[in-house]
Amino acid sequence: MSASGLTHPQAVTPTFNRAWLTPLELGGLAAIWGASFLFLRIAAPAFGPIPLVELRLVLGAAVLMPFLWRARASIPPALWPRLALVGVINAAVPFSLFAWAARQAPAGVGAITNSMAVLFTALVAFVFYGERIGARRAVALLTGFAGVVVLASGRSAGASVAWAVAAGTTGAFLYGIGGNLVRRHFAGLPAAAVASATLACGAVLLLPFAVATWPTESIGMRPWLAGAALGVICTGLGYAVFYRLIQRIGAPRAAVVTYLVPLFALTWAWLLLGEPLTPTMMVAGTLILGSVALGQSSSAPKAK
């Protein structure tokens, strides 16, 4: 399907191209989103969590703004308060939590807890919307929470990472709430336009707090570059690629990227920051990513 929503009758070449294009885009997106935790580690100490998130929201919304402009007629004014709410729940607050965690713990900790968003989406749907969760997903949730407990027991440079794990897990839970709100209140709207609108609303609402906490000391070029990459590449471009994948292969298959993000985050942090992969992180990552895979397989559509 093309960006205009029309299918082309010449299907042979596009089908051939998609055989390699989808894995390439999934791998590229995982590398981009994995790098976001690297950029957080570099930029958060210099900016502080909230100013950095403000920069991320503004740049991400700007990249996706053409999608919002094109779909502006399909978004009635009555929807904007809901978009603002989702902007807080699904962007401003969780982004801030992960930025705060990045100041306290290695990049891998944030990436591993972020993976819990898939399971939290199922949990929120079960608790608040009565969706069936199933025995396999229940086991997946318990396994994932066990992984969080293991991860929280770890230490970095002799210091506990429990609060960073708590912040990342809370951020993932908010993603689970936001995902359900988007699915129920914005169905039928272009997803990239909704993403731009929610990022923009989050930026507007967070602006006073960003101004109040903006660092008084000058910010070096390296944090500025990391912050810009976080907003433009990881948020704006990353969301655009993700929604392109959803349109082409569907949400369940696009969610495979969730398994790959921590692997890239750990690799980037090890290569570029020299952060070690601890035994605790390996055990916790195995439990959490295994639980996500188990939960996803329970809801995967059967082959026809």
Side-chain angles (χ1 to χ4, degrees):
M1 180 175 291
S2 68
S4 63
L6 300 176
T7 55
H8 297 283
Q10 298 86 358
V12 176
T13 301
T15 301
F16 174 78
N17 288 341
R18 288 173 191 174
W20 60 264
L21 182 59
T22 294
L24 184 65
E25 287 189 344
L26 283 170
L29 181 59
I32 288 172
W33 279 352
S36 67
F37 297 94
L38 167 73
F39 296 139
L40 284 171
R41 284 286 284 170
I42 294 172
F47 280 93
I50 294 179
L52 176 60
V53 171
E54 179 68 21
L55 177 65
R56 179 181 187 178
L57 291 170
V58 169
L59 294 177
V63 171
L64 294 172
M65 193 58 67
F67 297 98
L68 178 58
W69 180 256
R70 187 169 60 185
R72 64 190 185 280
S74 63
I75 302 179
L79 273 185
W80 281 97
R82 295 180 186 178
L83 288 167
L85 176 63
V86 172
V88 172
I89 294 175
N90 204 46
V93 176
F95 283 3
S96 299
L97 288 169
F98 281 108
W100 182 87
R103 302 177 71 181
Q104 318 299 321
V109 171
I112 292 170
T113 55
N114 178 75
S115 300
M116 287 291 293
V118 176
L119 298 178
F120 280 131
T121 301
L123 180 62
V124 170
F126 168 71
V127 173
F128 294 101
Y129 297 103
E131 291 191 9
R132 183 176 176 273
I133 198 167
R136 184 177 291 186
R137 263 195 181 169
V139 172
L141 283 165
L142 292 175
T143 304
F145 291 136
V148 170
V149 173
V150 171
L151 189 62
S153 69
R155 305 183 75 82
S156 174
S160 172
V161 298
W163 283 111
V165 172
T169 303
T170 303
F173 178 68
L174 290 173
Y175 285 150
I177 296 175
N180 278 278
L181 291 175
V182 168
R183 186 172 63 175
R184 282 164 176 79
H185 295 289
F186 307 129
L189 296 177
V194 170
S196 179
T198 55
L199 291 173
C201 288
V204 171
L205 295 173
L206 198 65
L207 180 60
F209 303 98
V211 171
T213 58
W214 195 266
T216 55
E217 298 181 359
S218 62
I219 300 171
M221 181 59 66
R222 189 166 180 256
W224 270 113
L225 291 175
L230 183 65
V232 173
I233 300 175
C234 300
T235 306
L237 179 61
Y239 276 31
V241 172
F242 185 58
Y243 292 129
R244 171 186 166 91
L245 280 165
I246 289 176
Q247 287 179 342
R248 191 167 69 245
I249 65 176
R253 291 182 64 194
V256 170
V257 72
T258 305
Y259 317 145
L260 304 175
V261 169
L263 303 179
F264 277 98
L266 291 166
T267 301
W268 291 133
W270 173 65
L271 286 174
L272 301 176
L273 298 180
E275 294 184 351
L277 175 60
T278 66
T280 300
M281 290 168 65
M282 287 191 289
V283 172
T286 300
L287 287 170
I288 292 175
L289 292 178
S291 69
V292 172
L294 179 63
Q296 283 294 100
S297 65
S298 69
S299 60
K302 296 182 180 179
K304 295 181 179 180

